[in-house]
Amino acid sequence: MSTSNRPLVPSFLQKPDDRLLRNYPAIWQTRVHLVLYYALLVAAAIFGLSFVTYANAKDNSTVGGMLTFTILISLLGMVIWVIYLLRFNVFKRFGQWRATDSLLMYVLFTISVAAIISICFIPSAVQTMRANQQFGNEEVVQDINEINRTACLLEYDILDLDWKPDTCRLISKREEEAVRVSVDTVAEEAISREDSYTRIDTADLRRRMSQTDSVVKLSDSVFIFYSVPDYQFVDSYKADEYTREKVLTSAQLFRTYLKTRPNPDRAVLVVRLNALAAKWAAPGYQFENGYTVYGSEEHYTYRIRKKYALTAADYGIDNVVEKKYEWKDDGSAYFRLLWYFTLSITLLLFIYRHSTTRTFFLSVLTAVLLSILTGLMLMGSGGGSEGENFFIFLVFYYLLFGVLSLVIFTARSRSVFQGIALNLFTFLTPFMPLVVASLYVISKRYAYLHNRTIEGSVYYAIRDDFDSGPVYLLAELAGPVLFLILLQFLIRILYRKWQAAPEQ
């Protein structure tokens, strides 16, 4: 059967397409070669459009609109692919089917779905690429420090140079409990009004010691914490997260440049500060337009920002930093999003291709009804403080569906109930290592809570005591491996036997 007259097949793919149809129909029916070709064309077009759209990294991000557009393109591509996919099914027609074809078909489905969905991530990736092309990591931090330093030197006379003290007294556990018990009494209120100290516990003390600009210890229980006025007129909280040079804090700026009156060359510094402000100014914020950043026009921070147009520079730096580090901060989340969408859609397609239409939709209906029933039972009995009861239900359902699926080996006819069980067992298999890992992590947390000391924050201590990240990562890697093994040595055999059995 020649494919030379097929309008959707490019000329250079005509012969490979015809060869796959004649010799490898299981591969040909997936149309993976055409999916990859057209996905590459669409990806190149979206890349070019994004490259032009995100020419200025200092501008506000507009990736949301482009994302909506790419989602619509992906949905359209998915629908077209599925329409062609459903036109021919070698498995159900008992055509030429090798022992590894089910496994191969699943892998090719995964590649095709991932190629279509990955288009949605191109605009965000291009936006990050453009920001990194235009501005270096160290460059951002160096310019932030130079802007803040220059503004401080030029406007030394209007800066607030007085550090604000906060006297704190460390209270014991007994005192803390006494305060909790008697806080509503008149005597306690009178004592509280007379006490000029801020009461802190040991957890607050450790936090303040790690974050304070300066501290004076008067005794074992009394501390004076000093907070420095704000000298950071531009900043971005993630700017120095991936750099050797760090953004100077207000305390560092004071100790380095403001402890003694500076004598700068004002003309040179004004030109340099204006150049930096223009360099980083975000489009649309070139002028302050009376916009009060800190609420009071008399505050020195507002006056300095307005005088040198630093609000626009602050917005520009924030926009650049957000784009530069988006994939460093959220890249793993994006890959997981791509993976789980791909996995779910691939499983549904695989199940549909190996099951009857009626059994497939009854399986979906069963899953919905079980979800509603499980939700009602959890509402009545409680889901557990960590949601462990939900995971226990999933394990129970998985084992139940597994047992019902194995009955297919001894069944003399094809039962819709066995087909439903096999479909749900297949769908749940890749997720079960993650479910078991969640139960393990919850058990570790309960064990720690049982043995922990009273002092400190419970959830903060849990994160310090047990790192669940490697456990979840191992489970995420184990899920696909487990599924591929069961697919080759169990699931494909069950589907073939169920499909070949006579109907009841």
Side-chain angles (χ1 to χ4, degrees), residues 146-161 230-231 233 257-258 260-267 269-271 273-274 298-310:
E146 186 173 359
I147 290 174
N148 292 330
R149 177 177 67 247
T150 305
C152 287
L153 295 177
L154 288 172
E155 303 298 330
Y156 177 85
D157 291 334
I158 67 171
L159 297 179
D160 181 4
L161 302 176
D230 186 15
Y231 304 129
F233 307 102
Y257 303 103
L258 303 177
T260 59
R261 176 179 290 275
N263 184 27
D265 186 340
R266 296 188 59 84
L269 291 184
V270 167
V271 171
L273 185 55
N274 288 334
E298 298 302 320
H299 198 276
Y300 71 89
T301 53
Y302 171 79
R303 293 164 59 188
I304 294 173
R305 279 172 168 252
K306 184 175 182 179
K307 182 176 181 179
Y308 299 104
L310 295 182

Side-chain angles (χ1 to χ4, degrees), residues 358-359 362-363 414-421 498 504:
R358 174 169 173 263
T359 304
L362 285 175
S363 301
R414 187 168 71 189
S415 167
V416 66
F417 298 105
Q418 294 169 357
I420 293 172
W498 181 81
Q504 288 181 338

Side-chain angles (χ1 to χ4, degrees), residues 46-47 50-51 54 121-131 327:
I46 293 176
F47 179 89
S50 301
F51 193 86
Y54 305 131
F121 297 89
I122 293 176
S124 175
V126 173
Q127 180 178 253
T128 297
M129 181 194 73
R130 293 288 275 166
W327 277 79

